[in-house]
Amino acid sequence: MTDKTFQSTYDMKQAFYGSKVDIIIPFHKQESKVSKLVESILTHTNRANSYRIILVDDYSKNDWGELWKHVPGVSIIRNEKQLGFGGSLYQGFLNSDAPWVVFMHSDCLVETPNWMFEMGRSLTNFRDSGSKVKMISARSDNPGDGYDVRLKAEKTEASEDMIVEGSLPLYCAMCHRELFERIGGFIKKYPYAFYEDEELSFRMKKYGYAQAICGNSWVKHEGGATVNSLLKIKKIRTIVEGNRTLCMRDMGLRDSC
């Protein structure tokens, strides 16, 4: 696929308004938080775009997710073993078909109606200006440590869109699905979680693409709800710490630590 072909398919002629979106939400246990997130999306999201919520149960070993199977606009996938954040995103992606995808952490909450529409509008605005921005994040009250400080904002705080130099956390990020055809594959499936965002940012830059913050999109984010409980298990903590080495390897860098 040439870059010219990519532009003709990825950069759709129509505006984002009315485009279909799949919202992929991996989770492991934390059922109450997932319920609140899904309810907040269904309650508050602007209907300018049709969307589907794809829940990916990362081997929670219960039937809770089945309760959502009959809710219009919501589908559930159950992993047969624990695949982690990246692996679960991939399962959701394989079962999605919308041109636009949103990746969300299970401990987010939607409180503003245009959170999704504004991200899509920003991406198409970047496109129309000739920018190479192909992934964008909502702002939040708790974006996490080590990321661009401009991600942190109050719900009512608005700003211009901002291109980032580092990586975007994937608590609420949007892109066009064809991005992954252009950067050599999907988000890495590191065990449990951590470092997939760094590798993704590195790989996007390698192929000439950028990431940005949407100044008019905001979600509430608790942060660490799933991974903090997993890290209490020593064996899992050791595996997760090893993800740094996997990330450095995939980026072709030497791990100096």
Side-chain angles (χ1 to χ4, degrees):
M1 180 186 266
T2 66
D3 193 64
K4 183 177 180 180
T5 302
F6 177 59
Q7 290 296 326
S8 67
T9 54
Y10 180 97
D11 296 340
M12 298 179 297
K13 293 181 180 179
Q14 65 182 40
F16 178 72
Y17 184 92
S19 296
K20 293 182 179 180
V21 183
D22 281 331
I23 304 169
I24 303 174
I25 306 171
F27 70 93
H28 177 72
K29 302 181 180 179
Q30 306 294 331
E31 291 87 354
S32 175
K33 297 182 189 302
V34 181
S35 289
K36 290 177 181 177
L37 170 56
V38 174
E39 290 167 0
S40 73
I41 293 172
L42 295 174
T43 300
H44 297 296
T45 303
N46 187 326
R47 291 291 177 173
N49 298 84
S50 61
Y51 63 87
R52 178 172 55 136
I53 300 171
I54 302 175
L55 300 175
V56 186
D57 182 350
D58 194 19
Y59 199 55
S60 297
K61 299 184 181 180
N62 61 52
D63 295 326
W64 171 87
E66 299 298 310
L67 299 173
W68 291 100
K69 292 186 72 171
H70 304 294
V71 177
V74 181
S75 60
I76 180 77
I77 300 165
R78 300 188 69 183
N79 295 338
E80 296 181 356
K81 63 179 181 179
Q82 194 165 359
L83 301 178
F85 182 67
S88 295
L89 285 180
Y90 186 58
Q91 292 304 307
F93 186 76
L94 290 176
N95 285 274
S96 70
D97 56 13
W100 299 93
V101 291
V102 172
F103 305 128
M104 291 193 81
H105 285 188
S106 60
D107 58 351
C108 287
L109 283 176
V110 168
E111 297 184 353
T112 59
N114 291 329
W115 69 280
M116 185 173 71
F117 177 75
E118 290 293 347
M119 285 196 292
R121 186 167 69 166
S122 292
L123 281 174
T124 53
N125 285 343
F126 275 120
R127 172 202 68 192
D128 294 342
S129 69
S131 169
K132 289 292 188 177
V133 169
K134 301 301 179 187
M135 178 172 279
I136 200 157
S137 174
R139 302 175 87 188
S140 174
D141 57 330
N142 182 24
D145 297 330
Y147 296 102
D148 193 307
V149 297
R150 296 173 296 175
L151 281 160
K152 186 175 178 62
E154 300 295 329
K155 181 167 64 174
T156 57
E157 184 181 344
S159 72
E160 298 294 324
D161 297 335
M162 301 156 278
I163 297 175
V164 300
E165 292 298 325
S167 61
L168 287 178
L170 300 176
Y171 61 81
C172 183
M174 174 184 278
C175 67
H176 194 283
R177 66 182 306 107
E178 291 187 9
L179 168 65
F180 301 106
E181 297 179 19
R182 295 300 302 164
I183 62 172
F186 196 68
I187 295 166
K188 294 295 183 179
K189 308 176 191 70
Y190 297 143
Y192 299 104
F194 288 145
Y195 295 102
E196 55 274 296
D197 55 348
E198 293 186 28
E199 192 281 333
L200 175 63
S201 173
F202 178 90
R203 188 154 36 104
M204 285 183 65
K205 291 175 183 176
K206 176 182 175 181
Y207 284 91
Y209 302 121
Q211 298 179 335
I213 300 166
C214 178
N216 291 309
S217 176
W218 187 94
V219 297
K220 189 174 182 61
H221 181 222
E222 178 179 332
T226 299
V227 74
N228 287 344
S229 62
L230 291 174
L231 292 177
K232 293 178 182 178
I233 304 171
K234 183 177 180 181
K235 179 181 178 180
I236 292 178
R237 186 169 65 251
T238 300
I239 293 172
V240 168
E241 289 171 351
N243 286 347
R244 174 182 169 83
T245 300
L246 297 177
C247 176
M248 299 295 283
R249 178 203 66 190
D250 289 335
M251 294 191 297
L253 304 174
R254 169 180 267 179
D255 192 344
S256 58
C257 297

